[in-house]
């Protein structure tokens, strides 16, 4: 059925092109949410996490997941398994062995690989929801078996912006204010100012970007705890002119 609708849309667009010089665009059938988290506690017994989007004035659930230690939580062989936490898709009623299956892996919490001195991690969630107009994403802590669709305890959230995370400008301004009054000879200045000062990145066209901040956030945004970054991209882009 989906392919028939797609074909019909393309034929209608093609027909329209014979009547007008403007192009037709058919985009955003679903979305891919990709994010990194610097830390997230292993799921406690009877609890899981859930990712939501704020969209068109409402809240939309996107994914449920649990976080397990590869060895202690999922029983992997410590002799052959690198350390770290995996992010596993959660379904009510699934036992631990099922939840730990490789087919359920959405990604991993960030960690430093000492062997290669590189950062390893990242989570990917594919959703059929059109997130082109999403304003915010947030992660909650939920009780297993809870039938209430409303979000539980919000532990972190990310306001989304077109191509640039809204918090990037806030963070850059906060650091600039700090550096203006900091001792240039001090260690804090060397660590955060000059070439090490955060810069507002160049906008990424066609992507919604955000920074996950721990919640509740402090009144002064300069003291917000940044826990990771997120990007939302089209799952299927059939743009043609």
């Amino acid at each position: 059925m989906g392919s028939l609708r797609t074909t019909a849309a393309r034929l209608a667009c093609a027909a329209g092109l014979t009547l007008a010089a403007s192009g037709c665009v058919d985009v955003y059938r679903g979305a891919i949410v990709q994010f990194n988290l610097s830390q997230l506690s292993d799921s406690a017994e009877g609890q899981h996490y859930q990712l939501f989007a704020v969209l068109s004035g409402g809240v939309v659930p996107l994914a449920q997941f649990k976080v397990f230690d590869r060895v202690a939580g999922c029983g992997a062989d410590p002799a052959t398994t690198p350390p770290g936490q995996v992010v596993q898709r959660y379904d009510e009623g699934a036992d631990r062995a099922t939840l730990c299956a490789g087919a359920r892996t959405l990604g991993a919490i960030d960690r430093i690989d000492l062997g290669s001195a590189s950062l390893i991690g990242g989570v990917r969630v594919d959703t059929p929801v059109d997130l082109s107009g999403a304003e915010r994403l947030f992660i909650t802590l939920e009780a297993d078996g809870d039938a209430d669709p409303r979000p539980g305890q919000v532990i972190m959230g990310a306001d989304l912006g077109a191509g640039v995370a809204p918090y990037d400008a806030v963070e850059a301004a906060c650091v600039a204010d700090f550096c203006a009054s900091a001792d240039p000879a001090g260690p804090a200045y060397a660590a955060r100012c000059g070439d090490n000062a955060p810069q507002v990145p160049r906008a990424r066209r066609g992507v919604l970007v955000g920074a996950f901040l721990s919640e509740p956030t402090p009144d002064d945004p300069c003291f917000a705890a940044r826990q990771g970054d997120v990007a939302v991209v089209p799952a299927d882009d059939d743009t043609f002119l």
Side-chain angles (χ1 to χ4, degrees):
M1 182 65 71
S3 61
L4 290 177
R5 284 197 295 265
T6 300
T7 300
R10 288 174 173 170
L11 290 175
C13 184
L17 285 176
T18 65
L19 301 175
S22 61
C24 288
V25 179
D26 183 18
V27 298
Y28 263 107
R29 287 187 300 278
I32 300 169
V33 181
Q34 295 178 298
F35 58 94
N36 290 79
L37 295 177
S38 59
Q39 60 180 353
L40 193 61
S41 299
D42 288 353
S43 296
E45 192 67 31
Q47 291 184 328
H48 64 276
Y49 297 102
Q50 189 159 1
L51 176 68
F52 289 88
V54 177
L55 182 65
S56 299
V59 175
V60 181
L62 300 180
Q64 299 180 94
F65 60 93
K66 284 182 179 274
V67 176
F68 297 123
D69 180 275
R70 284 189 173 95
V71 175
C74 283
D77 184 353
T80 59
T81 304
Q85 299 167 285
V86 287
V87 177
Q88 303 291 116
R89 179 172 56 82
Y90 166 75
D91 290 313
E92 176 60 27
D95 59 20
R96 179 62 65 91
T98 300
L99 292 174
C100 285
R104 288 179 175 264
T105 301
L106 301 176
I109 305 302
D110 291 356
R111 70 178 180 87
I112 299 295
D113 180 67
L114 298 179
S116 61
S118 59
L119 181 66
I120 297 176
V123 180
R124 170 173 170 152
V125 172
D126 292 80
T127 172
V129 180
D130 178 355
L131 296 178
S132 57
E135 304 167 13
R136 176 175 170 81
L137 298 176
F138 61 92
I139 295 175
T140 63
L141 190 62
E142 306 283 346
D144 294 353
D146 183 5
D148 189 341
R150 292 173 297 182
Q153 177 190 350
V154 180
I155 59 172
M156 65 178 70
D159 291 331
L160 299 176
V164 179
Y167 186 70
D168 283 342
V170 175
E171 184 179 45
C174 290
V175 174
D177 288 344
F178 166 80
C179 295
S181 59
D183 179 4
Y189 188 95
R192 302 186 64 190
C193 305
D195 292 341
N196 292 325
Q199 303 294 321
V200 178
R202 184 177 179 180
R204 299 164 59 189
R205 184 180 177 185
V207 180
L208 295 176
V209 185
F212 274 117
L213 306 179
S214 293
E215 294 205 0
T217 54
D219 293 335
D220 185 342
C222 291
F223 292 99
R226 188 168 186 156
Q227 298 289 4
D229 299 284
V230 60
V232 180
V233 299
D236 187 3
D237 186 344
D238 283 339
T239 302
F240 60 100
L241 300 176

